[in-house]
Every structure is written in structure tokens, then in C-alpha cells.
Amino acid sequence: MQETTRVFTVPGLGSSGPDHWQTYFERTQPDFTRIEQREWDVPDRAEWVERLEAALDGQDLSQVVLVGHSLGCVTIAHWAGRYGHRIKGALLVAPSDVETAHYAAFPTTGFAPMPLARLPFPSKVVFSQNDEWVTPARARQFAEAWGSELVDIGEAGHISTDSGYGEWPAGLALLQDWL
């Protein structure tokens, strides 16, 4: 019997709205599930990490793929550092740099400093040349530290709804190796 890969989306600050590519993935792919947080606008790292761990409880982790966006990527890296679970893979899209002044305007707790330990599973970091939440140099640093494949998609903003990323079939294609 062939095991089914389960994909869990891990949105960032504010969650992903109805036109966001993560939401599109969930609507169109039968085995995609969103990790829900109690508080999307005032995130607490410890709580977000525990919600991720609880959502994966009982899953065959060898068949789990995580798809993070922005602060969701940072959550995944903190989760990996805390629990060390091996999963099938993670697609980390536009990981936001929580050590920048940009985050001073947002009430987040415990996400800094950026986790820079190697991830215990295969991963891809997708970044943009003009993302206001992370510089290309920092995205490269994260990918190198995490042991991730680096995917530069050019000038794509924060790779979100505001920058024109709704359906994003190219993003779904980046997951095909794990599906």
C-alpha cells in the first residue's frame, strides 16, 4: 500500500487570506491542511511551535511536508530546533527576517534571534530579490545554515497576494519532488 504524503501549510503573521497561494493550494489539493493558530496578529513563538507539534501528533512524519510562508518559515525552523523531527521535506517561501527593524512595528514574541541550526530534513528556501521582509543576502544565509536548496524567483516582492501570488502553479511545482 502506497502512503499518501500529507502537506501542512504554515502561514505567517496575519495568516494567509482567501486569495493567497497557500489557501489556493489547500482548496485544490486534497491532502493539504492549514496549521491554525489561536492568534494570527500577535504571534508567540512558543505557542506557534506547540500548535505545529500538536497538529503533527499521530502523523507518519516520513510522509509529512511543511509549506511555510514568511513567519511560518521561522516557526518551522524553531520547531525543528526544538523537536528535531525528520519529515519528508519543507518548502520555505519568503522567510522573514525577524531580526530587522521591520518587525518592531509588529507585536511578536520570542521569534528572534533567527534560528540558524541545520534542519534535520530536506528543504528549499524560495526567495525574491525585492522582498521587504528579507534581503537576498539573509535569505542565502538562512538557506546555507538550514542546509536548504536555494530558489531565487527574481523580483517577486514578498511572494504573497499583494505581490500577485494567488494560484502560483510554479510554487506547487516546487513541491513535486516530495509529492
Side-chain angles (χ1 to χ4, degrees), residues 30-117:
D31 295 309
F32 283 44
T33 303
R34 179 172 297 202
I35 302 293
E36 292 291 346
Q37 298 294 344
R38 182 186 63 79
E39 179 54 70
W40 288 108
D41 297 323
V42 186
D44 177 84
R45 178 196 47 84
E47 185 175 313
W48 278 33
V49 166
E50 290 311 310
R51 294 287 279 232
L52 175 54
E53 176 68 8
L56 299 182
D57 186 44
Q59 297 291 324
D60 175 357
L61 296 180
S62 72
Q63 295 302 314
V64 166
V65 174
L66 298 175
V67 180
H69 180 252
S70 193
L71 194 60
C73 300
V74 183
T75 301
I76 292 167
H78 277 297
W79 169 80
R82 168 147 185 173
Y83 290 101
H85 295 312
R86 294 186 187 277
I87 59 173
K88 195 170 191 176
L91 183 67
L92 307 168
V93 180
S96 55
D97 186 351
V98 297
E99 294 177 11
T100 66
H102 203 64
Y103 263 90
F106 297 95
T108 60
T109 302
F111 287 92
M114 281 297 291
L116 296 175

Side-chain angles (χ1 to χ4, degrees), residues 5 27 49 135 166:
T5 298
R27 278 195 312 259
V49 166
T135 65

Side-chain angles (χ1 to χ4, degrees), residues 16-33:
S16 296
D19 297 322
H20 192 278
W21 58 266
Q22 283 183 316
T23 307
Y24 171 78
F25 287 4
E26 294 159 8
R27 278 195 312 259
T28 61
Q29 304 299 313
D31 295 309
F32 283 44
T33 303

